[in-house]
């Protein structure tokens, strides 16, 4: 192990974790869009409806909530 690794180990781990999480959040919007299409097409038989939220408006509220969370987390990780 080099002296560089020892002095910056914590920052290296933080950067690696932020990079992986940022990529996960980059891939989340297409999944959310696909889920929204699923709600429109299948309505009460969608993936979210199987979790117990059968109201279409409620399903879209859940999707909107997760979309905002993903964008906020992606933006926060971009700062690091």
């Amino acid at each position: 192990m080099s002296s560089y690794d020892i002095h910056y180990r914590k920052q290296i781990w933080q950067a690696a974790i932020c990079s992986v999480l940022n990529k996960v959040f980059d891939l989340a919007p297409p999944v959310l869009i696909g889920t929204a299409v699923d709600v429109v097409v299948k309505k009460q038989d969608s993936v979210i409806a199987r979790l117990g939220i059968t109201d279409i408006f409620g399903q879209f509220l859940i999707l909107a909530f997760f979309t905002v969370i993903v964008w906020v987390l992606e933006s926060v990780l971009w700062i690091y």
Side-chain angles (χ1 to χ4, degrees):
M1 207 174 263
S2 69
S3 63
Y4 185 81
D5 291 350
I6 293 170
H7 294 297
Y8 296 102
R9 181 175 295 182
K10 182 179 176 182
Q11 286 179 323
I12 291 169
W13 275 106
Q14 286 175 340
I17 290 169
C18 284
S19 179
V20 169
L21 287 175
N22 193 20
K23 184 51 69 178
V24 168
F25 293 134
D26 276 343
L27 297 173
V31 172
L32 291 169
I33 291 170
T35 306
V37 170
D38 186 54
V39 169
V40 169
V41 172
K42 294 185 178 178
K43 298 183 181 11
Q44 282 83 12
D45 295 328
S46 69
V47 173
I48 297 175
R50 288 186 219 147
L51 298 175
I53 302 168
T54 56
D55 179 47
I56 295 172
F57 184 73
Q59 292 180 40
F60 280 120
L61 283 178
I62 294 293
L63 284 172
F65 173 76
F66 281 118
T67 300
V68 169
I69 295 297
V70 165
W71 284 347
V72 167
L73 290 174
E74 185 176 11
S75 297
V76 168
L77 287 174
W78 185 79
I79 292 171
Y80 287 104

